[in-house]
Amino acid sequence: MLDHTSAPRPFIVAIANQKGGVGKTTTAINLSAALVEQGARVLLVDLDPQGNASTGLGLSPTDRTATSYDLLMEEMPAAEILVETKTPGLFLCPATADLASADIDLVANEKRSHLLHDALREPGLERFNFDFVLIDCPPSLSLLTVNALVASHAILVPLQTEFFALEGLSQLMLTIRQIRKIANPMLRIEGVVLTMHDSRNRLSQQVESDARRTLGELVFDTVIPRNVRVGEAPSYSMPVLSYDTNSKGAEAYRGLAREVLKRHPLKVAQEGTNR
């Protein structure tokens, strides 16, 4: 478990699971928005070639003139790429389908695993005073995901409450151990958040019980419910907190953000929204 008392700023978190359809991008968007709502300044890095986090925050493909591909492959400064979203205090480093070729393009680069690490620590980002950088990873254990894990202080794992959910974590845990050995010994698991949970469904209840028994305190108290408003919000290019602020989904992501901020109070908890 991470030593939260000495966490650096900005605190960089990879949101990753090699399994698709677990609510990874949804969590990246809405946790970012919830942290901002509670006073943080957040950068969301879209590292998924599908670019869904970018679309979900209202940035059309034609407006993505510079992207995370340029950040990695062209070594363009992050400060020249990021854009502020419609949610004040939430910035985005967008992605396009260009990232799909990144694994091949990165192979010949000697620094291929550390490009994102270096880009997120360049002096030009200091003026934005970010509290958190969240990275939306692709649903695979590719070089893009490796870059995210090398760059991050911690990993947050969305886990859908479905059959075989825990078995799917084994390869990710192995990758985390390998990254610790060869590139990022300080990488820790920030937590596992249970997503798409249906309290009326016996299977969801069983998976939650198994996860808490197996993973203990790594599992966040907050559970993200299966909620129609959460599913609708991306089609309106906004977080669920803006689309339906009183929905169960919005309240759940606020709860998750409060748990994260409880672990990492620092400036956010001390100064609130006055910065």
Side-chain angles (χ1 to χ4, degrees):
M1 197 61 150
L2 190 72
D3 177 9
H4 304 296
T5 60
S6 58
R9 276 298 183 266
F11 189 64
I12 305 173
V13 182
I15 300 179
N17 190 326
Q18 81 277 11
K19 188 177 184 301
V22 299
K24 176 182 55 62
T25 297
T26 299
T27 295
I29 292 172
N30 290 298
L31 176 57
S32 295
L35 288 168
V36 166
E37 185 181 82
Q38 297 185 40
R41 288 178 61 81
V42 178
L43 170 61
L44 175 56
V45 178
D46 191 348
L47 210 63
D48 188 339
Q50 298 177 80
N52 289 337
S54 303
T55 303
L57 286 173
L59 196 66
S60 68
T62 56
D63 291 331
R64 303 172 204 178
T65 54
T67 68
S68 48
Y69 182 88
D70 300 298
L71 184 71
L72 296 176
M73 303 307 305
E74 306 298 333
E75 298 189 32
M76 183 181 291
E80 297 180 13
I81 298 175
L82 58 85
V83 294
E84 187 165 16
T85 68
K86 297 175 183 178
T87 303
L90 173 54
F91 290 75
L92 172 70
C93 178
T96 62
D98 290 347
L99 268 182
S101 66
D103 270 14
I104 297 173
D105 297 341
L106 286 170
V107 169
N109 193 317
E110 293 182 357
K111 300 189 300 179
R112 56 184 172 270
S113 298
H114 288 76
L115 293 172
L116 186 59
H117 173 280
D118 296 344
L120 293 179
R121 288 162 176 80
E122 61 187 38
L125 283 178
E126 293 178 359
R127 63 186 175 89
F128 291 93
N129 197 28
F130 289 124
D131 297 291
F132 295 92
V133 175
L134 303 186
I135 306 171
D136 183 29
C137 298
S140 63
L141 296 177
S142 62
L143 266 176
L144 290 173
T145 302
V146 169
N147 259 270
L149 297 181
V150 172
S152 297
H153 301 113
I155 176 173
L156 187 152
V157 183
L159 186 71
Q160 186 178 0
T161 51
E162 63 170 15
F163 197 58
F164 290 141
L166 291 177
E167 291 186 16
L169 282 179
S170 58
Q171 184 60 46
L172 181 60
M173 296 301 182
L174 178 60
T175 300
I176 293 170
R177 287 196 293 271
Q178 291 173 336
I179 294 295
R180 285 173 178 166
K181 288 181 180 179
I182 65 176
N184 185 2
M186 301 306 293
L187 180 65
R188 296 292 182 269
I189 300 175
E190 176 69 9
V192 173
V193 57
L194 301 176
T195 62
M196 303 182 190
H197 185 274
D198 185 348
S199 59
R200 301 165 300 179
N201 187 307
R202 183 175 297 178
L203 177 59
S204 285
Q205 296 174 6
Q206 185 62 51
V207 172
E208 178 179 4
S209 176
D210 290 346
R212 295 193 185 281
R213 183 177 65 253
T214 304
L215 302 172
E217 64 175 4
L218 285 179
V219 182
F220 285 100
D221 292 336
T222 300
V223 173
I224 309 301
R226 187 177 292 277
N227 179 252
V228 65
R229 296 304 192 190
V230 172
E232 290 174 349
S235 64
Y236 291 88
S237 299
M238 61 179 67
V240 70
L241 286 85
S242 302
Y243 176 65
D244 188 345
T245 190
N246 295 318
S247 65
K248 291 182 178 179
E251 289 301 327
Y253 278 109
R254 288 188 181 101
L256 180 61
R258 283 192 292 269
E259 285 196 65
V260 172
L261 290 175
K262 186 177 181 180
R263 299 177 178 190
H264 308 284
L266 300 178
K267 294 181 180 180
V268 176
Q270 295 167 9
E271 299 175 19
T273 59
N274 297 322
R275 289 184 295 148

